[in-house]
Amino acid sequence: MEYRLDNIKLNPEESESKLHDLAVKKLGHEPAYFRIIKKSLDARDKKNIFWLYSIVFSDEVPAEPAPQKKLANPPAVAIIGSGPAGLLCATELIAHGIKPVIIERGAPVEDRRLAVREFMINGNLDDNCNVQFGEGGAGAFSDGKLNTGTKDANNSKVLETFAHFGAPREILYSNKPHVGSDILYNVLKNIRKFILCNGGTYMFNTRLTGIKVRDGKLQSIQVLDVRSGLQKDLRYDAVVLAIGHSARDTFEMLHRKGVYMEPRSFAVGVRIEHVQEDISRAQYGPMSKYLPAADYKAVSHASERSVFTFCMCPGGVVMPAASEFGGVVTNGMSNNARDGRNANAALMVQMGLADFGEGLFAGMEFQRSLERKAYAAGGRSYKAPVQRVGDFLAGRCSDRFGSVKPTYSCGTVFAPMEEILPDSVTQALRLAIPDIDKRIKGFASPDALLTAVESRFSSPVRITRKDSGESVSVSGLFPCGEGSGYSGGITSSAADGIGTADKIFRMYDKY
């Protein structure tokens, strides 16, 4: 018999070992099976903050789930991209007996780290291997958040897969699961080892450059080895497009080849940095010293445009995330411990299709124009424009830093945000920052720092697909993850990858 206890309260100073003691007390002996299934922090009353748990335990170990059905005659499948969508598509295909080929324009995570470090230190950008491209996708240099607002049935499998390959077990029950970039590094290597040991293949430093289509069906793909310049024509039964939201050249190529896609609206903005201790104190009060670095999530409707925080990184850094020459892009990253001095988050303003102009790639060009303005404002370098919040709200240029020092590693230049962002965005931000400060004390601190530009919130296009998972215009082509415009963030992209693999399995299980 399995027992479940809910709403167990622990003070921040108390050990989780008390949960196990409760199970022993209930059974009268050591349980054969014990698991925490939910953990959340209740900080609504700063004078009475506590952890809230649910646990299950029993005298019997649960039976292992039945193995998934495998195909006797598996198809040849290629996956373009090794971000969360591509990698979990690959692990799910392997569970069905399909041995995928993963084609990645960037490098393995070990070499990718070196390329990113070279860019951060010397400003030498590799446009095929950077914070956006390479093993792990953009999520490899992020906070590694695994929470999602989607209700995909595969979300739990995503968490289980990451935990199996080395992520902290706490992600299985925390209401705000995160891994951290330092641990993701090893998780990615473990996934690669699994894929290779089970018959999968990687083609790193290899970019998709073309596709051949006949009568609406994919015939082959063309790839380029970016190191040697060697081009190949490859044939597969199915090709999964897990290309991420920043593969602009690939979007343009697919459009030229007749792959149907639609423009999408998205948000743009800046990174905002605070001293982490100030954020933790604002969120938790005196109890902050007993608790992990605080996060936050805020929305403001003080203007006609919705303004919201996104990808908040407690104890993290603002990352240089350019993938094209001549553009400055920011992102946020933190390690598992979240022990850096600053907190940062994207502060985003929702845009509409009408803001971009006409054309399929108008939104993409809008993103690019902001990135180039940031590059120009930074002295035509990858230094990022920054401005203190107090100066931004007062409409003057900054000339010094206060208590918040920038963490953006390529260097910074003082510049007004008006030089980079549209008036509609700066006006919305000027109303939103004081409005959010009403709920998060210190959010509008004069010393808080804005860094431009945050432009890669989501894909500017959607590669439209049918219920079968295939492109509406090219059978055999399976758009997947953020690049398809059907997901956003690590968990929803990974879940979409699993779902895409299952659709390929079902398609070939008929034969």
Side-chain angles (χ1 to χ4, degrees), residues 24-40:
V24 172
K25 183 178 180 180
K26 177 74 174 179
L27 292 174
H29 54 79
E30 185 75 18
Y33 171 74
F34 171 87
R35 187 162 68 95
I36 300 171
I37 59 172
K38 186 181 292 185
K39 176 184 179 181
S40 61

Side-chain angles (χ1 to χ4, degrees), residues 120-179:
M120 292 193 298
I121 294 173
N122 298 316
N124 296 323
L125 175 66
D126 183 336
D127 63 342
N128 285 303
C129 187
N130 44 63
V131 168
Q132 305 293 345
F133 303 140
E135 186 177 22
F141 293 92
S142 70
D143 185 57
K145 287 183 209 48
L146 298 179
N147 53 303
T148 177
T150 66
K151 303 298 182 184
D152 195 304
N154 287 317
N155 288 345
S156 59
K157 183 179 282 191
V158 171
L159 299 178
E160 289 162 3
T161 301
F162 276 101
H164 176 75
F165 288 113
R169 300 293 298 176
E170 187 171 323
I171 66 172
L172 297 175
Y173 53 82
S174 173
N175 75 322
K176 293 182 179 180
H178 86 282
V179 180

Side-chain angles (χ1 to χ4, degrees), residues 144-336:
K145 287 183 209 48
L146 298 179
N147 53 303
T148 177
T150 66
K151 303 298 182 184
D152 195 304
N154 287 317
N155 288 345
S156 59
K157 183 179 282 191
V158 171
L159 299 178
E160 289 162 3
T161 301
F162 276 101
H164 176 75
F165 288 113
R169 300 293 298 176
E170 187 171 323
I171 66 172
L172 297 175
Y173 53 82
S174 173
N175 75 322
K176 293 182 179 180
H178 86 282
V179 180
S181 285
D182 51 339
I183 292 180
L184 273 172
Y185 176 79
N186 291 317
V187 170
L188 291 169
K189 292 197 294 182
N190 291 338
I191 292 175
R192 187 202 317 155
K193 182 178 179 180
F194 170 82
I195 290 171
L196 292 173
C197 287
N198 285 275
T201 306
Y202 281 82
M203 296 174 64
F204 286 112
N205 303 302
T206 303
R207 181 163 58 88
L208 177 69
T209 57
I211 63 171
K212 290 182 181 178
V213 181
R214 180 182 298 166
D215 299 326
K217 181 172 177 56
L218 182 69
Q219 299 297 301
S220 65
I221 63 173
Q222 291 75 53
V223 299
L224 171 72
D225 185 315
V226 300
R227 299 287 177 86
S228 69
L230 180 66
Q231 297 191 54
K232 295 180 181 179
D233 190 278
L234 306 172
R235 290 180 175 271
Y236 298 99
D237 298 308
V239 172
V240 177
L241 288 175
I243 57 178
H245 57 40
S246 292
R248 293 167 174 170
D249 50 0
T250 307
F251 290 139
E252 292 169 333
M253 177 276 291
L254 293 169
H255 176 59
R256 290 195 301 271
K257 298 296 184 178
V259 177
Y260 182 77
M261 54 188 82
E262 301 169 312
R264 294 180 70 237
S265 60
F266 51 85
V268 298
V270 295
R271 280 271 152 185
I272 185 166
E273 286 192 90
H274 301 86
V275 174
Q276 177 62 55
E277 186 178 333
D278 294 342
I279 292 296
S280 294
R281 193 180 303 111
Q283 295 293 79
Y284 301 148
M287 294 300 292
S288 61
K289 60 184 177 181
Y290 298 109
L291 296 166
D295 64 358
Y296 59 78
K297 186 175 183 180
V299 178
S300 172
H301 299 289
S303 70
E304 294 180 356
R305 293 178 184 268
S306 176
V307 179
F308 57 94
T309 61
F310 172 76
C311 185
M312 194 273 163
C313 297
V317 297
V318 177
M319 285 291 288
S323 60
E324 291 183 339
F325 299 115
V328 168
V329 183
T330 66
N331 192 20
M333 188 188 88
S334 54
N335 288 330
N336 181 261

Side-chain angles (χ1 to χ4, degrees), residues 202-486:
Y202 281 82
M203 296 174 64
F204 286 112
N205 303 302
T206 303
R207 181 163 58 88
L208 177 69
T209 57
I211 63 171
K212 290 182 181 178
V213 181
R214 180 182 298 166
D215 299 326
K217 181 172 177 56
L218 182 69
Q219 299 297 301
S220 65
I221 63 173
Q222 291 75 53
V223 299
L224 171 72
D225 185 315
V226 300
R227 299 287 177 86
S228 69
L230 180 66
Q231 297 191 54
K232 295 180 181 179
D233 190 278
L234 306 172
R235 290 180 175 271
Y236 298 99
D237 298 308
V239 172
V240 177
L241 288 175
I243 57 178
H245 57 40
S246 292
R248 293 167 174 170
D249 50 0
T250 307
F251 290 139
E252 292 169 333
M253 177 276 291
L254 293 169
H255 176 59
R256 290 195 301 271
K257 298 296 184 178
V259 177
Y260 182 77
M261 54 188 82
E262 301 169 312
R264 294 180 70 237
S265 60
F266 51 85
V268 298
V270 295
R271 280 271 152 185
I272 185 166
E273 286 192 90
H274 301 86
V275 174
Q276 177 62 55
E277 186 178 333
D278 294 342
I279 292 296
S280 294
R281 193 180 303 111
Q283 295 293 79
Y284 301 148
M287 294 300 292
S288 61
K289 60 184 177 181
Y290 298 109
L291 296 166
D295 64 358
Y296 59 78
K297 186 175 183 180
V299 178
S300 172
H301 299 289
S303 70
E304 294 180 356
R305 293 178 184 268
S306 176
V307 179
F308 57 94
T309 61
F310 172 76
C311 185
M312 194 273 163
C313 297
V317 297
V318 177
M319 285 291 288
S323 60
E324 291 183 339
F325 299 115
V328 168
V329 183
T330 66
N331 192 20
M333 188 188 88
S334 54
N335 288 330
N336 181 261
R338 291 175 162 176
D339 55 0
R341 185 175 188 273
N342 285 5
N344 77 80
L347 186 59
M348 309 300 290
V349 179
Q350 186 63 50
M351 310 299 286
L353 293 179
D355 294 310
F356 309 143
E358 297 293 327
L360 174 63
F361 296 125
M364 190 170 77
E365 290 303 324
F366 178 82
Q367 291 174 329
R368 185 177 277 149
S369 69
L370 299 185
E371 293 162 14
R372 288 176 174 170
K373 286 179 181 178
Y375 182 81
R380 304 199 65 75
S381 73
Y382 295 104
K383 293 180 179 180
V386 295
Q387 188 174 17
R388 292 171 64 241
V389 164
D391 296 324
F392 172 71
L393 296 177
R396 59 176 178 260
C397 189
S398 297
D399 57 8
R400 64 177 180 84
F401 295 114
S403 59
V404 182
K405 305 301 189 293
T407 57
Y408 181 89
S409 58
C410 285
T412 59
V413 174
F414 289 120
M417 294 297 110
E418 288 92 337
E419 288 187 5
I420 301 122
L421 300 169
D423 289 344
S424 59
V425 173
T426 55
Q427 290 170 10
L429 290 175
R430 283 199 172 102
L431 292 173
I433 292 172
D435 182 49
I436 295 173
D437 187 78
K438 297 173 184 176
R439 298 178 290 284
I440 304 174
K441 186 174 176 59
F443 191 83
S445 166
D447 284 350
L449 196 63
L450 305 179
T451 307
V453 61
E454 176 82 27
S455 54
R456 307 288 181 91
F457 170 70
S458 63
S459 175
V461 296
R462 169 176 286 127
I463 306 175
T464 317
R465 63 191 185 190
K466 299 181 288 188
D467 290 343
S468 66
E470 296 172 288
S471 158
V472 296
S473 55
V474 180
S475 62
L477 197 64
F478 291 78
C480 174
E482 287 207 39
S484 70
Y486 286 92

